[in-house]
Amino acid sequence: GRLLTRLMKKHASAPVRTLCELGGANSCFYERLRTAFPDAAYVVADNNTYGLQLLRERARADTALSAHMVDLYHPPVGLPAGDVVFSVGLIEHFNPEGTARVIRAHFDVTRPGGVVIITFPTPTWLYRATRFLAEMVGVWRFPDERPLTFAEVEAEVARHGAVLETLVTWPIILTQGIVVTRRLP
């Protein structure tokens, strides 16, 4: 959450009027980002009805929150354009074509010049070792997770924007890649 906030503040144009979290049903980042961007509308789009309901109940008093039932595999319709659009742990649950489609959906709901932040598991030595051990002892619970390379993600985001920053989050043992992009006008 701290890293997301730092990246948003570093790369987004001020003021941030709309944050849009894709795949964020019952978001674990909501409270931190509402504190960091108290005047922004917070939009969540997901296909998980139950998770969206949990978020609505948790944030009942927040009139700037809107939660939308959306299948991100198809071009999203009716979502407000975000100044910052982000997802955490979303794009790796699809085959390569699906991953490209969901990455494109990020840009479909980002205003021109806005920022897109996408995180995804990336197959560093630490990720591979940790996943191998988890699979060996039978505690791996993400059968559809496909760790992605930066080359795959950057090739798609470059079709829609200019890459501003890339990094790996090593403190998360199942390492995450992060790509920050500015949407082209």
Side-chain angles (χ1 to χ4, degrees), residues 14 107 181-182:
F107 293 90
T181 311
R182 183 165 318 283

Side-chain angles (χ1 to χ4, degrees), residues 20-88:
C20 185
E21 182 174 0
L22 303 184
N26 204 23
S27 172
C28 63
F29 302 105
Y30 166 75
E31 283 83 3
R32 180 179 295 275
L33 294 174
R34 292 306 289 143
T35 300
F37 300 96
D39 298 325
Y42 198 100
V43 178
V44 177
D46 202 309
N47 68 350
N48 180 330
T49 305
Y50 180 65
L52 291 170
Q53 184 58 37
L54 288 174
L55 179 61
R56 284 185 193 107
E57 289 170 11
R58 200 169 94 220
R60 188 178 323 241
D62 186 351
T63 58
L65 170 72
S66 61
H68 303 264
M69 179 69 168
V70 175
D71 178 0
L72 295 169
Y73 195 73
H74 302 285
V77 178
L79 293 177
D83 296 301
V84 177
V85 175
F86 71 100
S87 68
V88 176

